[in-house]
Amino acid sequence: DGDVRQQAERVCLERLLPELQRGVPARRVRLSAEERLAIKSMGLLTLKPVIYVLNVDEVDFLLDHERVLQEADDLVSELNDDDDVDAARDLVTVVSAKLEAEISTMEDAAKLEYLQSMGMDDDDDDNAANSLAFLEKLSYQ
């Protein structure tokens, strides 16, 4: 059984090696489920899913988040057309590093005040609370 696994790994690696030497990431080589399993123990980084993180300014992030997400999806679709992205496996997320850095050390009241200074309606407490909860989740996306 061990010899069979080693042989399957060797055959797959021999098929993969020329592509890797040409600079083609392993994820772009069409491998069967059995071949992926055969080389799983190798932990090839270029076989792993890719995380694309798009950093946007804080105004777009807070006030036009839906448009920014749509533009991110459009970008991924364009990359997918070029066979650089596997939309089924890769992850795309949008962040505002500046915003996250600014609010990371603030107390909740200061965070809400900051959000309101970014253009939130002062009378919209539910929206402010939802935005605060949303911002607190940023680290977990």
Side-chain angles (χ1 to χ4, degrees):
D1 188 41
D3 288 340
V4 172
R5 277 188 269 158
Q6 286 179 340
Q7 181 62 25
E9 182 180 273
R10 181 181 181 90
V11 168
C12 183
L13 288 174
E14 286 174 349
R15 180 173 166 238
L16 195 56
L17 183 60
E19 300 298 325
L20 294 174
Q21 288 174 330
R22 287 192 354 222
V24 175
R27 69 182 154 274
R28 290 188 55 195
V29 178
R30 303 220 185 269
L31 299 174
S32 68
E34 293 81 19
E35 288 173 316
R36 285 181 182 269
L37 183 60
I39 61 169
K40 182 177 181 178
S41 66
M42 303 293 293
L44 297 175
L45 288 178
T46 64
L47 195 55
K48 305 255 184 232
V50 177
I51 300 173
Y52 296 91
V53 180
L54 307 174
N55 186 25
V56 298
D57 69 51
E58 64 275 15
V59 174
D60 286 340
F61 186 81
L62 286 173
L63 301 181
D64 210 0
H65 195 69
E66 293 302 318
R67 180 189 58 81
V68 169
L69 290 176
Q70 183 58 53
E71 288 179 3
D73 286 342
D74 293 345
L75 177 63
V76 170
S77 293
E78 288 176 30
L79 292 173
N80 196 32
D81 292 343
D82 294 335
D83 202 27
D84 288 335
V85 174
D86 182 348
R89 293 176 0 115
D90 296 343
L91 173 69
V92 177
T93 189
V94 177
V95 299
S96 173
K98 182 178 179 185
L99 176 63
E100 190 170 340
E102 288 177 2
I103 68 168
S104 66
T105 59
M106 294 179 183
E107 297 295 325
D108 285 352
K111 288 177 186 179
L112 285 174
E113 183 179 329
Y114 182 78
L115 291 173
Q116 290 169 346
S117 76
M118 295 299 295
M120 293 188 79
D121 185 351
D122 291 343
D123 298 328
D124 193 355
D125 291 334
D126 287 339
N127 191 25
N130 289 339
S131 294
L132 180 58
F134 174 75
L135 288 171
E136 288 172 347
K137 290 186 213 175
L138 285 177
S139 300
Y140 305 106
Q141 289 188 2

